Amino acid sequence: MATLRRASSAPAPALAAAVLVSLCLTALSADEQLENLRFVRHAQDAPLVSSYNYIVIGGGTAGCPLAATLSEHSRVLLLERGGLPYANMSSEEHFTDALADTSPASPAQRFISEDGVVNARARVLGGGSCLNAGFYTRASNEYVRAAGWDARLVNSSYRWVERSLVFRPDVPPWQAALRDALLESGVTPDNGFTFDHVTGTKIGGTIFDNSGQRHTAADFLRHARPRGLTVLLYATVSRILFKRQDGVPYPVAYGVVFTDPLGVQHRVYLRDGDKNEVIVSAGTLGSPQLLMLSGVGPQAHLEAHGIEVLVDQPMVGQGVADNPMNSVFIPSPIPVELSLVQVVGITRSGSFIEGVSGSEFGMQVSDGALRWAARRSFGMFSPQTGQLGTLPPKQRTPEALQRAAEAMMRLDRRAFRGGFILEKILGPVSSGHIELRTTDPRANPLVWFNYFRETEDVERCVHGLETIERVIQSQAFSNFTYANASVESIFSDSASFPVNLLPRHVNDSRSPEQYCRDTVMTIWHYHGGCHVGAVVDDDYRVFGVQGLRVIDSSTFKYSPGTNPQATVMMLGRYMGVKIQAERWRK
């Protein structure tokens, strides 16, 4: 890739762009409203003491399919710290709304990693599947083999997921041009529409249906046995309970303590029987955090927070990684339809190329100019929203946000027209760790991802940027680029966006390696902290204790495929089937 230099070009966007793949809250269709399921309740309505065969902590991308599967033959409690998806945020057009909500009850709990990258974690029934771009693609066959999973059960579990909520997208012209440009740029072969992770260019699945409505992991709860499942919302688990048992060399998990929104503590116990279990599916941040709050973690760190050490387990919270993403905004001379991630180029160099188009997300255009100006949310360009908001994160005071929004209303609509081409990398090799910030389970832990610490990750990023450069210059993509816009100017304009809190290297000449580091963002694919082989065994049982498993993305060393949600959902179903089989095996 050539050194990036600023040059004259057609007008690029006047403002730094807001969220790329972004987060969204959604609801099920009217006849499938979760609130109509009698087993879904508020935590404050729960008894002070109860008992179940399985207690699943975290109603997210893994926890929902896991709980639904286990409920087929057992009594299961699913504890979710958030609420239901909101009905007025169910469409692609409103997919950035959750990021603009920074309230204490927001379904997207914002945090900033110690690296300085703005991020978010789910706090809603359905988890990360409510808060992503909806792209669905399986892990590679090599990943499945390396994980030691049963390939036949993996395939049947994927199919169970796909029957419930995966669709084939209608590919608009911008996405079709990206696909053709990737092929023209050498990201071959053309693999057409497929869920499989294979080298080349493909169209993947989506959890948005053809009307633009999102479907989430919460949909799996419709498959649950109603008498076998209880779901409690706004239930914040503070610790897992352990006891010593005669003849058992390790502490045994026997229940949990959770707090409802009124501050009342509830206790839930496992019923008698050595096959009843507590299962943590609280995600990459939540699962290691809860283990540490419960006394399972690095001894010195727990003692520093006044936590009684049950098991000195130094690997809890270690090996946390996030697939770094870099983006380039391509201003378009013609209108661009809204589309989230549909096409992916899987390169041989270890980088993945995707795109989102139609920057006028959420803008009202049919009610007249005045009402449009008053109601438009600016979507991807929203001052309030996430990593690419038009104000740097440290400056997002309510007053500053209001001033920025008023200024944006005076801008020409063409300033918001275009799309993003995204580059992210395989792995990654670089990793960090999680530490407790406080003993409050509602607080985000401290997290270091150490983006691009390893040279191999930087090299993969540079190869990805080189591919984007070829895409921009391709004949296939020419209808969506200004004829007089140079690649250097497009990259330079994108480099000026306030995407993170890292020190900026503002100059007229920027190496591609520096571009990777300066413009790094998250795509919410963080994972690790409870690795298989380090914290849990091959059946996801936590080392050093009994009656406790962790089943979610925190167990992954590397992110599966280009987008992990398919595999996280699959894992919930897969382990639910396996645990059921173990329960009834003589």
Side-chain angles (χ1 to χ4, degrees):
M1 177 182 171
T3 297
L4 307 179
R5 299 179 183 277
R6 179 172 295 277
S8 60
S9 66
L15 295 170
V19 176
L20 299 162
V21 273
S22 177
L23 299 123
C24 140
L25 288 180
T26 63
L28 303 176
S29 60
D31 61 337
E32 297 171 343
Q33 291 288 333
L34 285 169
E35 54 262 38
N36 292 334
L37 299 176
R38 66 177 183 270
F39 54 76
V40 179
R41 307 169 190 167
H42 280 246
Q44 64 196 54
D45 298 325
L48 294 178
V49 178
S50 58
S51 63
Y52 294 83
N53 299 117
Y54 296 101
I55 303 168
V56 179
I57 303 167
T61 313
C64 284
L66 174 64
T69 301
L70 291 175
S71 75
E72 294 170 3
H73 301 288
S74 301
R75 287 286 290 121
V76 181
L77 175 65
L78 178 61
L79 296 169
E80 167 52 45
R81 70 192 186 114
L84 292 172
Y86 295 163
N88 64 343
M89 302 171 70
S90 59
S91 69
E92 290 175 292
E93 294 179 356
H94 293 279
F95 79 108
T96 59
D97 289 4
L99 282 181
D101 181 3
T102 58
S103 70
S106 171
Q109 185 177 5
R110 185 173 296 180
F111 70 96
I112 299 176
S113 72
E114 301 307 297
D115 313 277
V117 174
V118 182
N119 214 315
R121 60 188 290 212
R123 185 168 48 194
V124 60
L125 188 66
S129 65
C130 296
L131 307 176
N132 61 30
F135 193 62
Y136 182 94
T137 179
R138 296 183 176 191
S140 67
N141 292 334
E142 293 78 13
Y143 191 99
V144 171
R145 285 194 293 271
W149 293 332
D150 179 327
R152 291 183 64 182
L153 182 54
V154 165
N155 286 332
S156 66
S157 299
Y158 273 129
R159 288 195 296 271
W160 182 84
V161 170
E162 288 152 12
R163 286 193 298 269
S164 298
L165 73 159
V166 184
F167 304 87
R168 180 170 181 166
D170 294 325
V171 180
W174 192 93
Q175 291 282 346
L178 175 60
R179 175 199 60 203
D180 295 343
L182 284 166
L183 293 169
E184 183 181 329
S185 301
V187 187
T188 56
D190 183 352
N191 294 309
F193 171 73
T194 181
F195 297 146
D196 294 337
H197 182 90
V198 285
T199 300
T201 296
K202 73 167 190 174
I203 298 167
T206 179
I207 59 175
F208 286 96
D209 63 26
N210 291 336
S211 66
Q213 300 299 303
R214 179 189 287 267
H215 297 253
T216 78
D219 289 32
F220 296 126
L221 300 179
R222 293 183 290 108
H223 301 298
R225 182 173 65 93
R227 297 182 64 179
L229 180 63
T230 298
V231 179
L232 295 180
L233 304 174
Y234 304 107
T236 302
V237 177
S238 57
R239 69 184 187 277
I240 302 163
L241 300 173
F242 293 93
K243 64 183 178 181
R244 296 288 180 177
Q245 191 167 305
D246 291 343
V248 179
Y250 303 115
V252 178
Y254 72 97
V256 305
V257 177
F258 73 85
T259 304
D260 67 28
L262 299 179
V264 177
Q265 283 197 343
H266 303 247
R267 286 181 173 246
V268 187
Y269 299 112
L270 293 177
R271 294 180 174 180
D272 291 338
D274 59 3
K275 293 187 177 180
N276 297 331
E277 295 177 301
V278 175
I279 304 174
V280 182
S281 297
T284 295
L285 271 62
S287 290
Q289 179 186 28
L290 183 57
L291 290 186
M292 288 189 278
L293 290 174
S294 304
V296 180
Q299 180 173 344
H301 182 56
L302 300 189
E303 290 176 342
H305 285 274
I307 298 171
E308 181 180 353
V309 179
L310 185 75
V311 178
D312 179 15
Q313 171 47 282
M315 296 308 295
V316 171
Q318 299 299 309
V320 175
D322 186 21
N323 296 73
M325 183 186 70
N326 302 85
S327 72
V328 181
F329 181 77
I330 316 296
S332 173
I334 61 175
V336 177
E337 292 181 73
L338 166 65
S339 68
L340 303 183
V341 178
Q342 297 179 349
V343 171
V344 61
I346 301 173
T347 72
R348 292 173 176 81
S349 61
S351 61
F352 308 136
I353 311 299
E354 299 173 345
V356 294
S357 69
S359 301
E360 298 173 81
F361 295 120
M363 294 185 179
Q364 305 294 322
V365 296
S366 60
D367 300 327
L370 182 60
R371 291 180 63 193
W372 173 80
R375 295 175 56 193
R376 60 198 279 204
S377 72
F378 302 105
M380 290 179 71
F381 288 87
S382 170
Q384 296 93 339
T385 304
Q387 311 147 275
L388 284 181
T390 57
L391 283 174
K394 285 185 176 179
Q395 298 178 22
R396 291 175 189 164
T397 64
E399 296 77 15
L401 292 174
Q402 180 63 32
R403 288 194 299 270
E406 291 172 354
M408 291 172 69
M409 289 180 186
R410 297 190 288 270
L411 293 174
D412 192 302
R413 289 176 57 88
R414 289 174 295 181
F416 303 97
R417 193 167 61 193
F420 293 91
I421 300 179
L422 321 174
E423 180 276 336
K424 55 189 178 181
I425 65 170
L426 176 70
V429 179
S430 305
S431 67
H433 71 283
I434 283 175
E435 294 181 2
L436 296 177
R437 185 187 304 270
T438 74
T439 57
D440 183 350
R442 298 166 298 179
N444 288 316
L446 299 167
V447 56
W448 290 259
F449 291 121
N450 294 327
Y451 297 104
F452 295 121
R453 182 179 62 182
E454 302 297 331
T455 303
E456 185 176 350
D457 291 338
V458 179
E459 291 173 347
R460 285 174 172 166
C461 176
V462 170
H463 287 307
L465 296 180
E466 290 171 346
T467 302
I468 292 177
E469 185 175 315
R470 293 194 295 271
V471 166
I472 295 171
Q473 295 175 318
S474 68
Q475 180 62 35
F477 205 69
S478 60
N479 286 341
F480 296 100
T481 58
Y482 283 97
N484 64 331
S486 68
V487 170
E488 290 80 5
S489 68
I490 289 173
F491 272 84
S492 187
D493 287 335
S494 294
S496 68
F497 294 170
V499 299
N500 54 47
L501 302 185
L502 297 172
R504 308 317 298 255
H505 297 80
V506 180
N507 50 48
D508 291 332
S509 179
R510 179 183 283 106
S511 71
E513 291 83 2
Q514 196 62 57
Y515 186 94
C516 290
R517 293 188 172 96
D518 281 358
T519 67
V520 64
M521 293 174 285
T522 184
I523 197 166
W524 303 283
H525 293 175
Y526 46 87
H527 53 277
C530 295
H531 284 176
V532 172
V535 176
V536 300
D537 65 16
D538 290 342
D539 290 315
Y540 300 90
R541 294 186 176 94
V542 177
F543 290 127
V545 299
Q546 290 193 8
L548 179 64
R549 303 194 203 219
V550 176
I551 300 174
D552 58 24
S553 60
S554 71
T555 64
F556 297 161
K557 185 175 182 180
Y558 300 112
S559 185
T562 63
N563 299 68
Q565 78 164 341
T567 303
V568 178
M569 292 176 183
M570 179 281 294
L571 183 63
R573 171 64 177 180
Y574 175 95
M575 285 307 300
V577 172
K578 287 197 67 175
I579 292 170
Q580 281 195 107
E582 291 172 9
R583 185 177 190 87
W584 303 112
R585 186 180 301 133
K586 293 183 180 180

